[in-house]
Amino acid sequence: MNKKIRVLIAKPGLDGHDKGAKVIARALRDAGMEVIYTGIRRSPEEIVEAAIQEDVDLIGVSILSGAHKKLCKKILTLLKEKEVDIPVILGGIIPDDDISELKDMGIIEVFTPGTSLDEIIEKVKDIALARKV
């Protein structure tokens, strides 16, 4: 693939803790990807619009607030309404019991604390390459 992978990293909701999102954004950038970071406290609408405008290959959502199911559902609903097929991954403090529900909802992958940066980078590459095939 000649074109760089473009990833939007987003922090929806009222959660203001973005250290993890910034670490992921930097790791993806250092791995050769183009990363757009939306900053904190973005609405699902703002995230979806930014993803469409930036023509990203993947949306990475970081949530620590506990509102992951509600916010992810809204993001996925908006993408569907706009008839846009952009994979969404999630990272943050996500209870194990919620992961299968999130994946059933349409979240491609869920990363919890302790996941290595190398694992996240490889998964992002796999998802983006699969989308371009």
Side-chain angles (χ1 to χ4, degrees), residues 8-129:
L8 184 86
I9 299 294
K11 290 281 305 173
L14 300 176
D15 177 11
H17 301 281
D18 66 345
K19 184 176 179 180
K22 288 179 178 175
V23 168
I24 298 301
R26 174 169 280 187
L28 296 175
R29 185 199 65 194
D30 290 350
M33 300 178 209
E34 291 186 35
V35 179
I36 298 99
Y37 177 52
T38 64
I40 60 173
R41 300 186 180 105
R42 298 297 174 200
S43 70
E45 290 83 357
E46 290 172 319
I47 292 167
V48 169
E49 281 303 315
I52 293 169
Q53 289 177 4
E54 294 290 343
D55 190 27
V56 296
D57 298 300
L58 184 128
I59 299 171
V61 177
S62 172
I63 301 176
L64 302 174
S65 67
H68 47 276
K69 289 195 281 188
K70 182 177 181 180
L71 292 168
C72 286
K73 183 176 183 179
K74 181 69 175 174
I75 290 168
L76 293 167
T77 298
L78 290 167
L79 287 168
K80 190 173 186 173
E81 286 175 1
K82 294 187 178 285
E83 299 179 0
V84 177
D85 183 23
I86 302 174
V88 179
I89 61 172
L90 171 64
I93 308 294
I94 311 298
D96 290 342
D97 292 343
D98 292 349
I99 292 175
S100 63
E101 183 178 345
L102 288 159
K103 288 185 174 181
D104 289 344
M105 195 185 301
I107 297 296
I108 301 297
E109 190 61 65
V110 178
F111 299 104
T112 56
T115 305
S116 76
L117 292 174
D118 289 338
E119 183 179 343
I120 294 169
I121 290 166
E122 288 308 310
K123 190 66 180 182
V124 166
K125 286 180 181 176
D126 290 346
I127 294 167
L129 290 174

